[in-house]
Amino acid sequence: MKKYYRFFGGFLKAQEKWLNQMAEKGYRLDRTGKLSYEFTKCKPGEYQYCIDFVAGQSDQKVKDYKAFLEELGYQVFYKNINLNLSVGKVRWRPYGKGTGQIAVNPGNYNKELLIVEKKNDGRCFELHTTNEDRVLYYKALRNARLTVAVLFLIFSIISFIQAQSFSKGVIGFGLLAILLLIPAFLYQTQMLYFSKKSSIEEE
Amino acid sequence: MRDNVKGGALTEVTFFILLALYEKMHGYGIMQFVEEKTGGRLILGAGSLYGALNNLQEKGWISPVDDGKGRKKEYIITELGREVAKAELLRMKELVITAEQIIGGDLE
């Protein structure tokens, strides 16, 4: 048993890469915590990992999806995308779909990501393979980032109206908004790429 | 999913799922079917398959099979689904005829 402390936040690809590197070294994920990953030994390269973003879907839907993945023989772990240690929390996710707009803890809060483990069969492991589905996936990621960026932008504007000058609050919120717009923009680019592709070809 | 009943073309994945489900099958079976029939050209990711299965269920083209035990969900094509698949086959045949007229049937 080996325990590592890591925090990847919204950098899903980095997290996926790290898990795959661990697997190549012979470590298989056993448990996830808020900041921790526990591994057990396995044959080097025995498993592959893929991360899915499921925030914005209802708790029930995520459970159903998780069960579906497990039926395929995959092992699935929940993972938080943010750091939040409080319990008894209710969050509004304006980017969510239907009841997925409400996130509660305990419940679907802190379960924004699924880490999916598959026995390595020598092929590349992807969950989203059709262009249409990829569009939806990147759209969900974009909307999550964009929502928060817009909220920070609104805070910044409100602070400006109140202070009538570029106070710390105005600049702080403004910078956060810009920072969050970067991943939103990158996801948007991906989304458009696959959207364009899907009108010509399917795979 | 862009597929619609009014003569629109099905996506390749949709058509393959419908074909696979002429016999009842669970998710893993569908993935294997698609891979086998395309010689590994088309590999269906689990997330995309899940989305497609849900969409096709909503359309009423496939339905889950209730085996009364076990959670392993199997699906089967519905009557409506068969009609859609037949219409797609007809559309493809017509497309092949047109293509052969223009390109020629001799593919060297």
Side-chain angles (χ1 to χ4, degrees):
Chain A
M1 184 74 75
K2 221 167 180 175
K3 197 166 181 176
Y4 283 85
Y5 289 91
R6 289 282 188 289
F7 180 63
F8 293 94
F11 295 96
L12 309 189
K13 280 285 158 213
Q15 180 166 190
E16 197 174 281
K17 201 177 156 193
W18 181 68
L19 287 168
N20 279 315
Q21 279 169 351
M22 290 302 288
E24 270 163 39
K25 283 186 220 156
Y27 291 104
R28 176 189 187 185
L29 193 60
D30 182 53
R31 270 187 71 144
T32 57
K34 292 247 164 47
L35 281 166
S36 64
Y37 299 81
E38 284 174 45
F39 294 91
T40 53
K41 284 227 173 248
C42 68
K43 271 186 249 151
E46 198 179 350
Y47 294 96
Q48 288 171 292
Y49 293 90
C50 198
I51 290 182
D52 209 342
F53 177 77
V54 292
Q57 289 173 41
S58 69
D59 199 20
Q60 199 45 53
K61 273 211 162 143
V62 175
K63 273 186 189 145
D64 190 59
Y65 180 43
K66 186 171 178 274
F68 179 82
L69 293 172
E70 283 165 350
E71 275 159 24
L72 291 175
Y74 302 157
Q75 178 102 22
V76 186
F77 303 87
Y78 285 118
K79 189 79 186 84
N80 51 307
I81 197 166
N82 296 313
L83 274 186
N84 201 310
L85 304 168
S86 57
V87 174
K89 181 150 200 114
V90 181
R91 270 273 166 112
W92 177 44
R93 287 178 176 154
Y95 56 85
K97 267 193 207 150
T99 48
Q101 290 197 358
I102 307 293
V104 290
N105 188 5
N108 51 345
Y109 193 75
N110 274 338
K111 290 177 187 168
E112 290 78 19
L113 305 178
L114 294 181
I115 297 176
V116 188
E117 178 198 81
K118 178 195 179 194
K119 235 184 156 96
N120 192 349
D121 54 6
R123 280 185 300 234
C124 110
F125 180 32
E126 272 184 294
L127 291 171
H128 301 282
T129 53
T130 64
N131 289 328
E132 286 170 274
D133 187 43
R134 282 174 178 149
V135 170
L136 294 177
Y137 177 68
Y138 286 111
K139 197 175 181 177
L141 279 166
R142 181 207 60 181
N143 288 352
R145 298 286 139 191
L146 199 61
T147 306
V148 189
V150 168
L151 280 177
F152 279 128
L153 200 66
I154 292 169
F155 289 155
S156 175
I157 292 167
I158 290 174
S159 329
F160 181 72
I161 292 167
Q162 283 174 342
Q164 291 296 333
S165 69
F166 287 99
S167 64
K168 273 184 198 149
V170 179
I171 295 166
F173 283 130
L175 280 177
L176 280 172
I178 292 165
L179 226 65
L180 283 159
L181 279 176
I182 298 169
F185 176 77
L186 291 176
Y187 288 135
Q188 167 78 3
T189 315
Q190 290 279 309
M191 198 191 100
L192 286 180
Y193 170 75
F194 286 116
S195 172
K196 228 177 200 173
K197 223 176 149 192
S198 77
S199 62
I200 304 169
E201 53 186 39
E202 282 161 21
E203 264 299 288
Chain B
M1 209 160 268
R2 281 172 290 130
D3 326 312
N4 60 69
V5 202
K6 289 180 238 129
L10 304 183
T11 66
E12 193 180 10
V13 167
T14 303
F15 198 24
F16 265 119
I17 293 175
L18 289 179
L19 293 176
L21 294 178
Y22 270 73
E23 277 173 47
K24 68 175 179 184
M25 239 177 226
H26 45 75
Y28 187 66
I30 300 170
M31 280 166 105
Q32 276 187 320
F33 177 91
V34 173
E35 198 179 326
E36 197 187 297
K37 295 293 177 194
T38 61
R41 174 179 58 81
L42 191 66
I43 292 175
L44 199 48
S48 295
L49 175 63
Y50 179 77
L53 287 174
N54 281 343
N55 284 338
L56 295 179
Q57 269 187 86
E58 270 169 38
K59 283 177 179 290
W61 297 359
I62 63 171
S63 66
V65 182
D66 186 23
D67 60 349
K69 53 182 175 348
R71 249 208 59 92
K72 211 157 197 155
K73 245 198 216 166
E74 284 186 312
Y75 299 88
I76 188 108
I77 193 167
T78 62
E79 210 35 62
L80 181 61
R82 282 168 197 264
E83 274 171 40
V84 173
K86 271 182 207 154
E88 177 67 6
L89 178 59
L90 193 66
R91 189 194 66 81
M92 284 182 132
K93 275 186 173 165
E94 286 167 3
L95 182 63
V96 168
I97 291 168
T98 309
E100 278 179 351
Q101 280 167 357
I102 295 168
I103 302 173
D106 197 23
L107 297 177
E108 284 285 305

